[in-house]
Amino acid sequence: MIFNQTQREFAEAVKQFSRKTLLPDYQTRERIGVLDRQLLKQIGELGFLGVDLAEEVGGMGMDAVTAGIIAEEMGYGDFNISALPVNVSLLGSIIQRHAHPDVAIEWIPKMISGEALVAICLTEPRGGSDAAALQFRATRDGSDYLLNGEKASITFAACADASLVFARTDNGTGARGISAFFVPHTLPGISQTRYDDLGSAVIGRGSIFYDNVRIPKEYLLGDEGKGFTQVMQGFDYSRALIGLQCCGAAQASLDEAWAYSKEREAFGRPIAQFQGVSFPLAEGESTIASIRQLCYHTLALRDADLPHTAEAAMCKWMGPRKAHDVIHQCLLTFGHYGWSKDLPHQQRLRDVMGLEIGDGTAGIMKQIIARERVGRAAIQY
Ligand SMILES: Cc1cc2nc3c(=O)[nH]c(=O)nc-3n(C[C@H](O)[C@H](O)[C@H](O)COP(=O)(O)OP(=O)(O)OC[C@H]3O[C@@H](n4cnc5c(N)ncnc54)[C@H](O)[C@@H]3O)c2cc1C
């Protein structure tokens, strides 16, 4: 994909920020393990959050490809921080499209400025792959709803200021009867926890508990009982952006491994001269270049308002899986140094692995691709 002039200028600005400000402290932030809200505001002030959202709600009305550039360039400096622009683009576009205008105008500008963080809550303790089987309930009480249940494994659970919650509003099964709500966390009855994870501590994955949370009907997103099908369409977007976050992280490890291969000597010569060292890195470059192109192609399809569900699912399973393999190879290139926590490859490895699960596993993505190709013939009963 060849970027236009505006996209190239944007890429350069994010690249400078990511490499100068984010990259040096990637591991320190993870050791601290709490999202730095000042950094979030700084990213907002720089104009890197929600660039693709409409100008009326504080965005820049830019294209999805530019949002992808931000995800990739930030992923290079800090994979976990790159979740922030992805979150604002995904949730901002859902809120912009489906929320009551008063809710949209109150919350989206705060998300874009980095003052508010919103979590998306689909998964429950009983599971996430079969998302349409969710049990979390919203019961009607006059013109309000009462929310009850636990949402599990939620990114930003520990620090979110609001959540976008999927709940069953009738007694049916499957996708029908599921509604989506925007829930400010200032409401009584909400508690938030944090898990002790293998990586990505910065994003504070955890559970959110809703105990008789009263929410007015204006906070419904989309139509009652149709939230699942309406809102889930937005996920094609985040899947391509996640692929690019992973490309950024893998590219950082590749660049570092190439530089090391020129300096490190064995058998009286730089290890770059051994094809056993350079060819796996060359293969990694090829893999990441092809996934990057697929991701930008998917975003260009979105910008052109063309179908891209299968392509998005391809980005989502291949991005983290292949980035993991490439980063693993880079770690090995550093020999025993690669095994040390001083180098960032082990952290990138753990961080990208989280997104082999988060936002849907490879198994579910492949099901989506199969369904797009052969329709209901691909659905297991
Ligand atoms: C880092 C991270 C961030 C996350 N962030 C969020 C978030 O912000 N919001 C949110 O709602 N959720 C989030 N999740 C949860 C995530 O979406 C779920 O973990 C995921 O959808 C899988 O659900 P599960 O863990 O319950 O696994 P299960 O559904 O129990 O599946 C277990 C295993 O069985 C496989 N499997 C199940 N069904 C099939 C099938 N039909 N075909 C093939 N394989 C199958 C799965 O691939 C998996 O390997 C996050 C998870 C992680 C790790």
Side-chain angles (χ1 to χ4, degrees), residues 143-181:
S143 62
D144 300 338
Y145 292 87
L146 290 175
L147 304 184
N148 277 293
E150 176 187 353
K151 289 293 181 180
S153 188
I154 304 303
T155 298
F156 302 128
C159 52
D161 305 296
S163 46
L164 201 161
V165 183
F166 290 86
R168 193 162 289 289
T169 39
D170 77 9
N171 292 324
T173 53
R176 279 183 50 217
I178 296 177
S179 306
F181 295 88

Side-chain angles (χ1 to χ4, degrees), residues 120 122-123 127-129 153-155 205 354 357-361 367 380:
I120 184 149
L122 190 58
T123 307
S129 298
S153 188
I154 304 303
T155 298
R205 193 177 68 106
I357 306 164
D359 206 69
T361 63
Q367 263 190 9
Q380 301 156 12

Side-chain angles (χ1 to χ4, degrees), residues 3-34:
F3 298 140
N4 64 33
Q5 180 68 18
T6 315
Q7 291 163 341
R8 280 202 297 277
E9 284 169 10
F10 221 93
E12 190 52 36
V14 187
K15 181 176 174 176
Q16 291 302 325
F17 169 74
S18 181
R19 295 184 193 203
K20 285 192 186 140
T21 307
L22 296 183
L23 188 59
D25 292 325
Y26 170 47
Q27 297 194 85
T28 308
R29 272 188 293 275
E30 184 64 5
R31 270 193 288 274
I32 295 169
V34 179

